[in-house]
């Protein structure tokens, strides 16, 4: 992509090669990809990425809750597994993630 975010297939007159690989930290799992599309599809199918996505949504929602840091951390610990499980069991959709959060102790036990 160029400085304006427009897709480009060449850079300085040379073809762009976006193929690469990524190794997950603290794991021997890695993925190889030809372009951003195949990278995105592989990441979306990776359990650890989906669990991290659910965790980050929970952290972000708690940041907006008006609670103290100590209260947010307690709510995070009490709710994380439920939110992650609800997201995975719900088919890893945004709707499932929001439903899991709404039904978690972070919301139900303020």
């Amino acid at each position: 992509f160029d400085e304006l975010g427009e897709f480009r297939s060449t850079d300085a007159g040379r073809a762009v090669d976006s193929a690469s690989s990524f190794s997950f930290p603290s794991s021997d799992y890695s993925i190889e990809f030809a372009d951003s599309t195949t990278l995105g599809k592989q990441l979306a199918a990776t359990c650890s990425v989906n669990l991290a996505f659910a965790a980050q949504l929970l952290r972000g929602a708690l940041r907006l809750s008006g609670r103290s840091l100590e209260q947010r951390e307690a709510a995070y610990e009490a709710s994380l597994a439920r939110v992650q499980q609800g997201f995975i069991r719900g088919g890893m959709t945004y709707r499932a993630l929001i439903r899991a959060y709404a039904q978690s102790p972070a919301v139900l036990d303020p």
Side-chain angles (χ1 to χ4, degrees), residues 25-104:
S26 304
S27 168
D28 52 345
Y29 182 71
S30 64
I31 56 176
E32 293 185 11
F33 52 93
D35 54 32
S36 60
T37 301
T38 57
L39 171 62
K41 287 179 182 178
Q42 289 185 62
L43 289 175
T46 304
C47 187
S48 61
V49 170
N50 283 291
L51 293 175
F53 179 66
Q56 288 306 312
L57 178 118
L58 176 59
R59 275 205 193 279
L62 289 170
R63 248 185 244 116
L64 298 172
S65 71
R67 297 175 182 171
S68 70
L69 178 59
E70 184 177 285
Q71 291 170 324
R72 289 192 317 255
E73 287 300 316
Y76 179 83
E77 292 300 322
S79 302
L80 180 60
R82 182 175 183 137
V83 169
Q84 289 174 324
Q85 290 171 2
F87 178 53
I88 299 297
R89 289 182 182 152
M92 297 177 289
T93 66
Y94 189 68
R95 179 181 295 252
L97 182 55
I98 298 304
R99 180 178 292 125
Y101 170 70
Q103 296 172 347
S104 74

Side-chain angles (χ1 to χ4, degrees), residues 15-32:
V16 173
D17 179 11
S18 57
S20 190
S21 64
F22 176 79
S23 296
F24 287 80
S26 304
S27 168
D28 52 345
Y29 182 71
S30 64
I31 56 176
E32 293 185 11

